[in-house]
Amino acid sequence: MTEPGCQSGYPRVSPRGARRVRASIQAFVMSTILCLTPAVAHADHTTLPERCTAVSFPVTGLGTLAGTMCMPARPTSTVMVMMPGSGYNHTYWDFPYEPQTYSFRRAMNIAGYATLIVDRFGNGASTRPPSVQLTATGSVQALHQLVGAVRQGLPGFQPFSKVITGGHSLSSGIAVIEASTYHDVDGVLLTGFSHSLDIVGTTGIVSTYYPAEQDPKFAGQGYDTGYVTTRPGTRQGNYYGPGAADPEVVAVDEATKEVFSLTEYPDGLTSTLPPTTNNINVPVMVVNGSADRLCLRTCENTETLAAAEAPYFSPAAKLRAFVLPGSGHSVNLAPNTAEYQAAVRDWLKSTFE
């Protein structure tokens, strides 16, 4: 795949002098390099490698979180700090296939917001403790320390005066508990989250979990028996709606899947118990897919989700709800995910600018 607008052939060389000849040759060389480089790296200035920097953050008593900070083209005082849900790593927020469509990180950078995506403990380059030590509470503590650090300024980066946490599924619960406990963020984006779990759908998804050490992707990598993952070929049924998901998206999702521990669930699910969310005193947006197996009837449309969730949030939350039609649990990977990205951008602009 080449850059949009790249042309083959040679540039026209002006006869007006050597300076213009050199300039034309230089321009041709640069355009050729760009045309031979995948569009994912050069689609726009916000996706250039130098705009994104790998970071590591030590968490007191827990280990080190690995992440990536990406800065937009123009100055900003707002950063979105995002964690992936169980079974995913950072690629959920910055999907490598057709990022112009599926990378939520990229969309937010283009909209003018900085992003910091961090892997939960046990995932990616973050510390991998024994599975029994993995808890949502530990991730809450890590997120709290990270929020404080970005406000002060991570090494090499400016301090941010506005911090918005973003979560998906399990990490939405982590964001809820962090915001309701520490009151240190300016906004919370919750995706794949609701107070109404569909028991049948949830049980069906959980039944596809098995020890990661038995999975071809993770075998022989030293995972203890408490680390689990999804069985090969089950993610489309688990996380996508009944519509036509892009087969390449599903394939990349399977190839980049992650491990997690069921010990993260008990305290993570307390995020749905009253009055936890009622204690959040900053704006909140809740996003789900209409075909999410974890939330079927409540998530039929934006109106039903808003009505169902409203009693669980205080007026200070100024609750905004959005349901992505036809999407399953993983709204970032739905073919129409651009609609959800646009809804989030509208919420950010109307609420924080």
Side-chain angles (χ1 to χ4, degrees):
M1 184 169 60
T2 59
E3 283 290 300
C6 289
Q7 302 291 326
S8 61
Y10 295 89
R12 296 179 179 178
V13 179
S14 171
R16 295 184 180 181
R19 182 177 299 176
R20 292 191 177 183
V21 171
R22 286 195 299 270
S24 295
I25 293 174
Q26 290 171 352
F28 171 65
V29 171
M30 289 304 297
S31 65
T32 300
I33 292 172
L34 289 175
C35 286
L36 293 175
T37 304
V40 61
H42 294 281
D44 60 78
H45 51 271
T46 64
T47 59
L48 289 171
E50 60 265 33
R51 301 301 300 176
C52 293
T53 304
V55 299
S56 60
F57 179 74
V59 178
T60 304
L62 294 172
T64 300
L65 289 179
T68 303
M69 174 78 83
C70 293
M71 300 296 295
R74 61 179 185 268
T76 181
S77 61
T78 303
V79 63
M80 301 182 73
V81 179
M82 299 176 288
M83 282 185 174
S86 58
Y88 282 102
N89 56 32
H90 59 278
T91 58
Y92 178 74
W93 292 108
D94 194 9
F95 205 64
Y97 171 73
E98 293 196 358
Q100 68 275 16
T101 298
Y102 296 104
S103 173
F104 183 90
R105 184 279 303 167
R106 180 181 184 275
M108 295 304 105
N109 289 158
I110 291 174
Y113 304 100
T115 56
L116 174 57
I117 303 172
V118 292
D119 286 322
R120 297 186 344 277
F121 291 116
N123 293 167
S126 293
T127 297
R128 187 205 299 177
S131 60
V132 294
Q133 294 180 14
L134 287 177
T135 63
T137 299
S139 293
V140 167
Q141 295 172 3
L143 181 58
H144 171 55
Q145 292 181 35
L146 189 56
V147 167
V150 296
R151 286 199 184 279
Q152 295 176 7
L154 292 174
F157 293 95
Q158 68 186 62
F160 290 94
S161 59
K162 291 182 182 177
V163 180
I164 298 163
T165 49
H168 173 65
S169 197
L170 172 63
S171 63
S172 284
I174 291 166
V176 162
I177 298 170
E178 198 281 337
S180 63
T181 301
Y182 296 104
H183 305 288
D184 58 351
V185 298
D186 298 280
V188 184
L189 171 65
L190 306 175
T191 71
F193 175 91
S194 78
H195 287 82
S196 304
L197 280 178
D198 184 283
I199 301 302
V200 174
T202 302
T203 302
I205 291 176
V206 171
S207 70
T208 68
Y209 299 164
Y210 78 136
E213 62 181 358
Q214 298 179 19
D215 192 278
K217 176 177 170 59
F218 303 108
Q221 297 185 32
Y223 289 96
D224 68 52
T225 56
Y227 276 104
V228 299
T229 190
T230 51
R231 293 181 183 277
T234 62
R235 295 177 78 84
Q236 182 167 4
N238 284 355
Y239 305 133
Y240 295 78
D246 187 327
E248 289 297 324
V249 170
V250 178
V252 173
D253 184 4
E254 287 277 0
T256 59
K257 71 180 181 179
E258 266 289 1
V259 301
F260 55 99
S261 175
L262 295 178
T263 56
E264 298 179 86
Y265 281 13
D267 52 342
L269 288 172
T270 63
S271 61
T272 63
L273 299 178
T276 308
T277 50
N278 297 89
N279 292 328
I280 299 177
N281 60 358
V282 294
V284 175
M285 183 172 189
V286 178
V287 178
N288 281 286
S290 67
D292 187 343
R293 291 180 63 187
L294 301 179
C295 170
L296 289 177
R297 293 186 179 180
T298 299
C299 295
E300 287 180 353
N301 54 58
T302 296
E303 291 72 25
T304 57
L305 179 63
E309 290 297 312
Y312 298 101
F313 291 89
S314 72
K318 301 177 182 178
L319 183 64
R320 178 85 65 93
F322 179 78
V323 169
L324 184 61
S327 173
H329 190 58
S330 296
V331 289
N332 282 12
L333 306 183
N336 58 339
T337 191
E339 297 176 31
Y340 140 64
Q341 295 171 1
V344 174
R345 288 195 300 268
D346 180 71
W347 173 66
L348 292 171
K349 183 176 180 60
S350 62
T351 306
F352 302 103
E353 295 184 12

